[in-house]
Amino acid sequence: MFLRKNFSKKTGRTFLSIVQGYYDKEKKTSRHRTIQKVGYLDELQKDFDDPIAHFSAVAAELDRERKADNSVTVSFDMDERLELGATNRKNYGHVVFSKIYHELEIDRFLKNARRHEGFRFNTDAIMRLLVFSRLLHPGSKRAAVLNKDSFFDNFSFSLDDVYGALTHFNKIADPLQRHLHEQVTEHYGRKTDLVYYDVTNFYFEIDRQDDLRKKGVSKENKRRPIVQMGLMLDKNGLPIMYRQFPGNKHDSQTLLPMLAEVKKNYGVKRVIVVADKGLNSGDNIAFNSVLGDGYIFSKSVRGGSAEFKNWVLSEKGYRQASENYKLKSKIVPDVAVNITVGLNGNKKKKKTVKLEQKWVACYSQKYADRSRYKREEAIAKAQMMIQNPTKYKSTFDYGAAGYIANLKIDKETGEILNIKDTLILDTKKIEEEERYDGYYALVSSELDDSDEHIFAMYRGLWQIEESFKVTKSVLGTRPIYLSTEEHINAHFLTCFISLLIAKVVEMKLGGKYTIAKITDTLRKVACSHVDQNVWLFDYVDDVTEEMNAVFGTGFGKKFMTLKEIKKYLGDAKKG
């Protein structure tokens, strides 16, 4: 602050005022604002021997007080208008994600990867925008570019640059995943003796198939071309790697290439693969056994052999393992497993081999009640369709449709073909299903492991199911507005990185908050430009308080200068 002396040629008088100087970064110029109007010099001389010296000292003292109490004096011009195109509100919550991003040294990897490339755009900046946007404002690549000024960063690139970067990201997707694995191992002590694996798929709003987007069994009952994605997690629920597969590839056919990759390039020795029954195939079991690896697969009781079903349903051998469930097991020395073997050329045939295997059966009354409740819901919907079939031109619920004995459906369109017929409830199917309420079974290579431990390892599979849910809902992986295989894979890569960062944040917060809650909070941690270089914050909750303690973000402050914000963001980039 200083004393300004304005001399008017018109009146011949000098007016004194105390002003404060500052630099307007948006207009890129020095500006001043009036803090206190003092008065005309000739009038002040009546009361002060030297008004200029006196009020210069006052200005200096005000400046010292301002610095001492960390206060900023601002004034508002109530007629001031917003500048067209100016972004006066920015997100600050991404500072948490930025810290993990740089802790994993993704920036260093990308800078090294582009060293010998001919393009000029900054792949690190593009990746940061795509990841932060995916976590906070899921949408298309175009939407991310349109909203790039909502972050405190210099994202000076175009949409064409983003598409060019996607081609590059596809090229480096495999080594980048290995780099992330090394960083997670170094920072968080990852162990890969137990891995979880599952497959999901993503549909596209197109009709024509291509080499990647093919029609298959959609997890969401969509009759559109899909892409399969296999995802592998460690025991802490942190992603290890992903792969995309054509939509018509069966789940069970995706595990072998994933295992081969993780064994070859991720430094993994022996692993125990935990997966759902969709991955339970003879080839997968044999492959794990031959390589000396282990497996824990769920197995359909109703779809098992007569011997298997009778053993599971028999009360003999069950013991109460906890208040909620009972267990039993047995080792079967000669389980017949069908595997695929190659002949000359491309011909293949099935061959039966026998392996030693442990069976673990579980019964839970809670699981029985849940199964019965879900079935009753589906039956109620089926009865609605039976009572008023003309109301439904196509199936509104495939689970309900399964309880109508004589229903005929067009597999391509879902249209009901015999809508004028008298529909009948499938009572035999209902009675058969009731027999299996509360029962489920596992098969495992871990012959010497306890039933409880095998069961506990399998229960960890919920983490990968939760990851798929987060990927599809919170991160908005679909719909996918891309068409080439390279760009689709790059899209999955950015989603994979986003999921990993979100899971690390969740882990560092002790699992107290869901990823949905974390992203929702950080989306709200934004600030508005008030005056000069001062920004006003308007959101705080229990999550921000916890994050501030863990990550040192400055969350909870009502005001911060741009210099302070830049310092926190700069500290985050140090990892």
Side-chain angles (χ1 to χ4, degrees):
M1 296 182 190
F2 63 93
L3 184 69
R4 172 181 278 175
K5 301 172 283 293
N6 285 334
F7 176 75
S8 171
K9 292 182 179 179
K10 185 177 180 179
T11 63
R13 304 175 75 189
T14 300
F15 189 84
L16 303 182
S17 56
I18 297 174
V19 300
Q20 180 182 4
Y22 69 95
Y23 181 73
D24 188 331
K25 286 199 172 185
E26 289 191 1
K27 295 185 177 180
K28 297 182 178 179
T29 184
S30 297
R31 301 183 68 181
H32 298 90
R33 70 178 62 257
T34 300
I35 303 302
Q36 180 181 333
K37 294 179 180 180
V38 178
Y40 287 102
L41 178 61
D42 56 335
E43 293 181 357
L44 293 169
Q45 286 174 336
K46 297 175 183 178
D47 299 316
F48 299 93
D49 293 336
D50 188 347
I52 292 178
H54 175 78
F55 286 102
S56 292
V58 170
E61 181 61 24
L62 287 174
D63 201 45
R64 282 193 294 272
E65 290 177 359
R66 177 186 65 82
K67 292 177 180 178
D69 65 10
N70 199 30
S71 65
V72 175
T73 303
V74 297
S75 62
F76 299 98
D77 180 354
M78 301 304 292
D79 293 323
E80 185 178 2
R81 298 182 62 82
L82 293 172
E83 291 186 27
L84 188 64
T87 304
N88 291 289
R89 184 169 176 80
K90 294 181 183 288
N91 178 270
Y92 176 64
H94 72 281
V95 64
V96 171
F97 298 135
S98 180
K99 187 171 185 65
I100 305 303
Y101 179 98
H102 291 91
E103 188 176 79
L104 296 173
E105 298 188 15
I106 300 173
D107 57 324
R108 178 178 64 82
F109 177 90
L110 291 174
K111 288 171 185 175
N112 289 335
R114 68 182 291 264
R115 185 172 296 166
H116 302 295
E117 299 287 352
F119 44 73
R120 296 181 178 179
F121 48 79
N122 186 334
T123 52
D124 171 45
I126 292 174
M127 179 64 83
R128 278 187 281 118
L129 174 65
L130 294 180
V131 169
F132 298 159
S133 298
R134 181 62 48 193
L135 287 160
L136 298 174
H137 305 287
S140 67
K141 306 298 177 283
R142 182 175 180 273
V145 173
L146 289 174
N147 294 323
K148 64 183 180 181
D149 291 335
S150 63
F151 296 100
F152 285 102
D153 218 320
N154 182 26
F155 290 139
S156 55
F157 46 78
S158 67
L159 182 59
D160 286 339
D161 292 336
V162 171
Y163 286 125
L166 291 179
T167 301
H168 176 66
F169 293 156
N170 170 70
K171 179 180 174 182
I172 62 171
D174 290 355
L176 179 50
Q177 289 177 75
R178 293 195 291 272
H179 165 82
L180 291 171
H181 168 66
E182 292 168 359
Q183 292 299 311
V184 171
T185 302
E186 177 182 342
H187 289 291
Y188 314 120
R190 164 181 277 166
K191 295 185 183 298
T192 50
D193 54 329
L194 177 72
V195 299
Y196 293 98
Y197 181 72
D198 207 349
V199 184
T200 192
N201 46 55
F202 300 87
Y203 65 87
F204 291 76
E205 294 291 350
I206 58 173
D207 294 317
R208 182 177 297 180
Q209 303 180 73
D210 54 31
D211 290 341
L212 178 65
R213 298 174 294 178
K214 292 184 176 293
K215 290 187 176 180
V217 181
S218 170
K219 308 287 186 183
E220 296 157 287
N221 294 317
K222 298 293 183 180
R223 300 184 179 278
R224 299 283 186 180
I226 59 175
V227 168
Q228 296 274 65
M229 187 181 80
L231 180 66
M232 193 170 283
L233 304 183
D234 64 19
K235 64 175 67 176
N236 291 322
L238 299 180
I240 300 173
M241 61 176 291
Y242 80 93
R243 283 291 180 275
Q244 65 182 29
F245 301 94
N248 62 349
K249 185 175 281 292
H250 190 272
D251 291 2
S252 63
Q253 296 175 308
T254 66
L255 178 59
L256 300 190
M258 290 285 283
L259 277 177
E261 172 72 12
V262 80
K263 297 274 287 186
K264 179 181 178 182
N265 294 317
Y266 285 73
V268 174
K269 294 183 169 47
R270 184 180 190 270
V271 300
I272 301 174
V273 179
V274 182
D276 224 329
K277 56 179 175 288
L279 282 300
N280 184 358
S281 72
D283 289 339
N284 290 338
I285 289 173
F287 185 80
N288 277 270
S289 301
V290 168
L291 293 181
D293 292 324
Y295 62 86
I296 300 171
F297 294 142
S298 64
K299 181 176 176 61
S300 169
V301 179
R302 188 168 57 173
S305 64
E307 177 194 4
F308 186 77
K309 283 192 284 191
N310 291 336
W311 175 75
V312 172
L313 297 177
S314 170
E315 285 298 307
K316 184 179 180 181
Y318 277 106
R319 55 188 173 78
Q320 203 69 36
S322 79
E323 183 181 350
N324 297 319
Y325 62 89
K326 55 185 181 180
L327 293 172
K328 72 174 179 178
S329 67
K330 75 172 182 175
I331 294 175
V332 184
D334 54 354
V335 175
V337 174
N338 294 321
I339 63 172
T340 305
V341 295
L343 299 175
N344 293 332
N346 295 322
K347 294 183 178 179
K348 295 180 179 179
K349 72 172 184 178
K350 289 290 183 180
K351 178 182 177 181
T352 300
V353 297
K354 292 189 175 182
L355 300 171
E356 195 171 22
Q357 190 177 76
K358 185 172 187 175
W359 293 354
V360 181
C362 174
Y363 177 82
S364 165
Q365 186 60 50
K366 286 186 177 180
Y367 182 52
D369 294 341
R370 185 165 64 249
S371 298
R372 183 163 47 253
Y373 177 76
K374 287 183 176 180
R375 183 173 58 252
E376 288 172 353
E377 275 191 328
I379 292 172
K381 293 177 183 178
Q383 288 173 330
M384 289 169 55
M385 188 181 293
I386 291 171
Q387 291 167 6
N388 193 5
T390 56
K391 185 179 178 180
Y392 308 99
K393 293 183 179 180
S394 60
T395 55
F396 67 98
D397 188 302
Y398 285 91
Y403 290 105
I404 302 176
N406 58 333
L407 188 66
K408 296 178 182 178
I409 303 173
D410 187 309
K411 292 183 178 179
E412 290 295 321
T413 65
E415 183 182 1
I416 298 175
L417 301 177
N418 59 335
I419 199 167
K420 294 183 179 181
D421 294 349
T422 301
L423 302 179
I424 303 170
L425 194 66
D426 194 340
T427 54
K428 288 185 178 180
K429 179 178 180 179
I430 295 170
E431 291 173 0
E432 177 67 10
E433 285 191 355
E434 288 174 345
R435 296 179 60 206
Y436 304 101
D437 284 350
Y439 292 97
Y440 57 98
L442 309 174
V443 295
S444 177
S445 60
E446 305 308 284
L447 308 180
D448 298 325
D449 215 338
S450 69
D451 301 348
E452 286 80 359
H453 189 227
I454 290 174
F455 181 62
M457 286 190 285
Y458 176 76
R459 290 184 68 182
L461 192 61
W462 70 268
Q463 295 180 101
I464 201 163
E465 294 168 352
E466 181 65 21
S467 292
F468 283 146
K469 187 185 300 182
V470 167
T471 302
K472 291 185 176 183
S473 58
V474 180
L475 302 184
T477 302
R478 62 177 200 277
I480 302 172
Y481 304 99
L482 301 163
S483 56
T484 69
E485 184 171 345
E486 291 78 12
H487 286 181
I488 292 169
N489 184 44
H491 172 71
F492 284 151
L493 176 66
T494 61
C495 294
F496 174 85
I497 294 172
S498 302
L499 176 64
L500 174 59
I501 290 174
K503 294 291 288 185
V504 170
V505 174
E506 180 186 46
M507 182 181 71
K508 286 199 167 192
L509 293 175
K512 292 172 63 176
Y513 308 101
T514 66
I515 290 176
K517 176 62 177 173
I518 290 168
T519 54
D520 182 61
T521 288
L522 294 180
R523 187 181 302 115
K524 295 174 181 175
V525 179
C527 51
S528 299
H529 183 224
V530 177
D531 190 57
Q532 303 179 54
N533 295 321
V534 179
W535 293 77
L536 168 68
F537 292 80
D538 57 17
Y539 186 80
V540 66
D541 62 13
D542 56 333
V543 186
T544 59
E545 294 296 288
E546 187 91 14
M547 286 180 174
N548 195 36
V550 174
F551 298 105
T553 55
F555 290 166
K557 298 185 71 173
K558 189 172 184 178
F559 296 99
M560 274 202 276
T561 64
L562 186 60
K563 182 178 180 180
E564 288 178 282
I565 293 171
K566 292 288 187 181
K567 182 181 185 305
Y568 281 117
L569 290 170
D571 289 343
K573 290 183 178 181
K574 297 175 183 178

